[in-house]
Amino acid sequence: MKVYMDNGATTRVTEPVYAAMQPYFCEIFGNPSSVHGFGREARKAVEAARAQVAKAIGAEPREIYFTGCGTESDNWALRGAAYANAKKGRHIITTNIEHHAVLHTCRQLEKEGFEVTYLPVDSYGLVTPEQLEAAMRPDTVLVSVMYANNEVGTIEPIPELAAVAKRHGALFHTDAVQAVGHVEIDVKAQNIDMLSLSGHKFHAPKGIGALYVRHGVRLQRLMEGGAQERGQRPGTENLAGIVGLGKAIELATGDIPARAAKMAAIRDHMIERIMNEIPHVQLNGHPTRRMCGNVNVSFYFIESESVLLHLDLRGVAASSGSACTSGSLDPSHVLLAIGVSHEHANGSIRLSLSDENTMEEADYVVDCLVETVAKLRAMSPLYEDFLKGVETVGTDD
Amino acid sequence: MEYTEQVMDHFMNPRNMGDMEDASGVGTVGNAKCGDIMRIYIKVENDVITDVKFKTFGCGAAIATSSKATEIVKGMTLEQAEQVTNKMVMEALGGLPPVKVHCSVLAEEALHAAIQDYRAKLEKGEAPEAEEEEVRYV
């Protein structure tokens, strides 16, 4: 059995999305900026997709800018807003569990003379409006908080946080890369000024993203070139990608409550079985304010890469936020931020569902986990010592 | 990141995995914080490693290198085993990804720590030379 449960990393392009894109390679290929019929046909497709994206998040089409990926959207939102408002103030607030696209951009802005406050989160990964309120300063120009965390799946109280930023006259950006298609988003009702999204997280292809920028918000553009995207994001449009993004977001946001409920039922079934059938395990993230497709657990006494390799050999794709896979000895900054110990962070894995995963697949994956964890514990000196009731004494390295 | 067939073979079918109640020497290196702990048990008779076992907490490379190291040293004299390096373990596995080289270093260290432990016990006069083992064959 082959089971793909790494949808937080990327999703497959579904057939309807692929079908919608297909004419835009060989048949409709014009440059959307061209005056002729070929170009006009391409332009029409780009604008139709823009309308689809806008509708999906409650925005106006003119507020949607197509980008190359979620990372570009995050970079543009943060740097663009910081540079455009530098005269007004140089203070930015974010959290310590953001994606690196936000965190590393903030670190760079610090080098450029901006001040950044990184709000800590609680043991579930939540940041509160009260925390944000207390951190706001007269020179705060921008607040950026992710809609849902990519590793532990915690859903932040975005409308409440955005309201705080608005009251203080600061811009509010959210990295909604993991949330779009799984959580109902209405940028107007939720007071969101900027929102990043990425197509390949909801069955569009890789290489296409978008940034929503509320009408009237001024961003400095990061690239110079042609007049594409209202003169703000130059470069010939990724025509087929844009069409795919439009179709995929329409499908993903079509019936969120029903699809999220179906996914959450599978998620909860997996969590329940793991907690019941595998001893010495902890769930990372919030029990209920959680992405409908996210399972993140730490297995004590074993290391996650070994778990992933065993799962892979059984046809199961999962991921870890841990040291070994990234080539760094530091475990996930998100797990450490929610207070998971280094040791337990090293034994954590993430299973991320899409709306295509089934209960049967979930059971198969848990069966594989039960076997794998037992096998790895049998060869773990930590487990041996735990059973003997002695502390493991190793060396520093 | 791609592991060689030899690494995957040792990861999936580890040789000499387990613990040893009457070990002549035990070496434990690494720590859980960094994500790798290796423990190697050796049984020494007449300066020869007659049996060896390992237990490892760690990634695929950590498990494979400790398995390979035990396979290499089984039957060696202590002097020979002391010459075993991480490079030899790595080469025997057909190489490791650069970020995993430290795993092979740990395997070397665990092996040498076990030998050291045996030598220290010998000096203190507590060396559990496993002579009673031979009685079984009488």
Side-chain angles (χ1 to χ4, degrees):
Chain A
M1 194 171 190
K2 278 194 113 171
V3 182
Y4 186 77
M5 278 204 189
D6 198 13
N7 292 281
T10 196
T11 59
R12 107 190 161 89
V13 174
T14 51
E15 286 74 11
V17 175
Y18 184 50
M21 292 172 66
Q22 258 177 338
Y24 294 90
F25 291 100
C26 304
E27 295 146 47
I28 307 168
F29 61 90
N31 186 321
S33 301
S34 298
V35 174
H36 46 63
F38 293 86
R40 287 198 305 274
E41 208 177 358
R43 165 64 50 204
K44 214 172 114 188
V46 168
E47 295 317 318
R50 199 185 307 282
Q52 286 170 314
V53 174
K55 184 164 178 260
I57 59 169
E60 298 167 33
R62 63 175 175 176
E63 297 173 316
I64 303 299
Y65 298 86
F66 292 113
T67 63
C69 55
T71 293
E72 184 193 336
S73 299
D74 285 340
N75 268 264
W76 186 15
L78 293 172
R79 304 176 82 149
Y83 300 152
N85 291 285
K87 280 194 183 128
K88 204 180 136 205
R90 297 177 79 84
H91 182 232
I92 299 164
I93 301 174
T94 186
T95 76
N96 63 354
I97 59 162
E98 298 296 312
H99 188 275
H100 285 147
V102 167
L103 278 185
H104 290 175
T105 301
C106 286
R107 298 270 183 236
Q108 178 58 29
L109 286 167
E110 284 185 279
K111 287 183 195 156
E112 295 171 21
F114 291 88
E115 261 189 86
V116 182
T117 299
Y118 300 89
L119 296 176
V121 294
D122 68 11
S123 61
Y124 295 122
L126 278 175
V127 63
T128 65
E130 292 73 28
Q131 275 179 283
L132 179 58
E133 183 73 51
M136 294 299 298
R137 304 193 323 209
D139 62 340
T140 306
V141 290
L142 173 64
V143 176
S144 179
V145 178
M146 69 200 322
Y147 215 110
N149 183 265
N150 49 314
E151 289 188 38
V152 295
T154 303
I155 300 168
E156 301 297 338
I158 293 301
E160 292 81 358
L161 294 167
V164 173
K166 188 183 182 184
R167 203 159 54 241
H168 288 266
L171 292 174
F172 188 85
H173 166 254
T174 184
D175 171 354
V177 165
Q178 293 287 333
V180 171
H182 301 301
V183 182
E184 298 217 60
I185 297 175
D186 183 330
V187 290
K188 300 289 167 196
Q190 299 174 354
N191 287 311
I192 297 165
D193 296 308
M194 292 177 281
L195 177 145
S196 302
L197 61 91
S198 175
H200 74 106
K201 305 294 189 187
F202 49 83
H203 303 300
K206 293 149 194 70
I208 185 69
L211 179 66
Y212 149 79
V213 185
R214 180 192 292 280
H215 182 65
V217 170
R218 207 165 55 83
L219 289 191
Q220 186 170 316
R221 63 174 172 267
L222 299 185
M223 290 196 293
E224 298 304 323
Q228 290 90 352
E229 300 298 290
R230 303 165 58 85
Q232 299 307 303
R233 201 279 189 177
T236 302
E237 294 87 343
N238 173 3
L239 178 59
I242 287 170
V243 170
L245 177 67
K247 183 69 183 176
I249 203 167
E250 187 179 84
L251 294 172
T253 54
D255 189 5
I256 291 179
R259 279 182 321 113
K262 181 201 153 210
M263 287 167 67
I266 298 175
R267 172 199 70 187
D268 293 341
H269 175 69
M270 292 185 79
I271 292 173
E272 199 186 317
R273 273 200 63 195
I274 290 170
M275 304 305 281
N276 285 338
E277 295 175 34
I278 303 177
H280 314 298
V281 56
Q282 73 180 37
L283 177 70
N284 298 316
H286 200 283
T288 52
R289 282 193 69 93
R290 187 178 194 96
M291 283 282 291
C292 54
N294 178 287
V295 177
N296 187 310
V297 283
S298 289
F299 300 110
Y300 298 177
F301 317 118
I302 58 176
E303 198 273 339
S304 58
E305 191 206 84
S306 295
V307 179
L308 297 184
L309 289 172
H310 273 289
L311 290 180
D312 184 39
L313 286 157
R314 288 166 164 81
V316 176
S319 68
S320 77
S322 107
C324 275
T325 40
S326 67
S328 136
L329 283 178
D330 299 324
S332 142
H333 69 283
V334 176
L335 293 177
L336 296 182
I338 64 172
V340 178
S341 70
H342 272 75
E343 185 183 330
H344 295 157
N346 281 331
S348 79
I349 73 158
R350 178 188 71 173
L351 299 152
S352 41
L353 306 169
S354 82
D355 52 349
E356 297 190 312
N357 288 117
T358 63
M359 208 51 113
E360 191 195 354
E361 290 178 330
D363 277 323
Y364 174 71
V365 171
V366 177
D367 291 344
C368 291
L369 277 173
V370 171
E371 269 179 53
T372 296
V373 171
K375 185 169 179 180
L376 290 170
R377 280 185 181 158
M379 60 174 92
S380 167
L382 286 175
Y383 190 55
E384 178 188 319
D385 292 350
F386 168 78
L387 293 179
K388 286 180 185 159
V390 298
E391 199 189 331
T392 304
V393 182
T395 52
D396 296 331
D397 62 359
Chain B
M1 195 183 57
E2 191 92 36
Y3 285 133
T4 62
E5 262 177 51
Q6 295 98 303
V7 171
M8 286 311 290
D9 177 36
H10 275 269
F11 171 71
M12 287 307 289
N13 311 294
R15 328 293 201 258
N16 307 310
M17 196 281 290
D19 47 17
M20 199 187 282
E21 292 208 346
D22 51 352
S24 318
V26 187
T28 304
V29 299
N31 63 66
K33 196 177 164 185
C34 290
D36 302 285
I37 295 182
M38 282 187 204
R39 175 172 294 162
I40 289 184
Y41 300 87
I42 53 171
K43 174 163 289 180
V44 181
E45 291 171 53
N46 303 320
D47 262 7
V48 172
I49 298 177
T50 56
D51 198 9
V52 53
K53 294 276 184 211
F54 84 90
K55 280 210 173 175
T56 293
F57 158 84
C59 61
I63 290 169
T65 52
S66 36
S67 167
K68 190 74 210 180
T70 60
E71 198 179 61
I72 290 173
V73 300
K74 198 167 180 175
M76 277 186 171
T77 64
L78 291 178
E79 284 72 33
Q80 287 170 326
E82 279 168 327
Q83 303 303 312
V84 171
T85 64
N86 76 300
K87 213 171 152 226
M88 288 163 67
V89 176
M90 221 159 62
E91 278 166 6
L93 288 169
L96 286 175
V99 296
K100 299 294 185 182
V101 172
H102 76 277
C103 295
S104 66
V105 175
L106 274 184
E108 177 193 314
E109 287 174 358
L111 172 65
H112 294 172
I115 296 172
Q116 232 170 18
D117 179 53
Y118 165 71
R119 291 205 192 284
K121 281 179 182 161
L122 201 62
E123 254 173 52
K124 278 196 253 165
E126 336 167 332
E129 276 270 9
E131 273 155 25
E132 62 274 22
E133 275 283 295
E134 283 160 14
V135 176
R136 268 200 280 161
Y137 300 102
V138 174

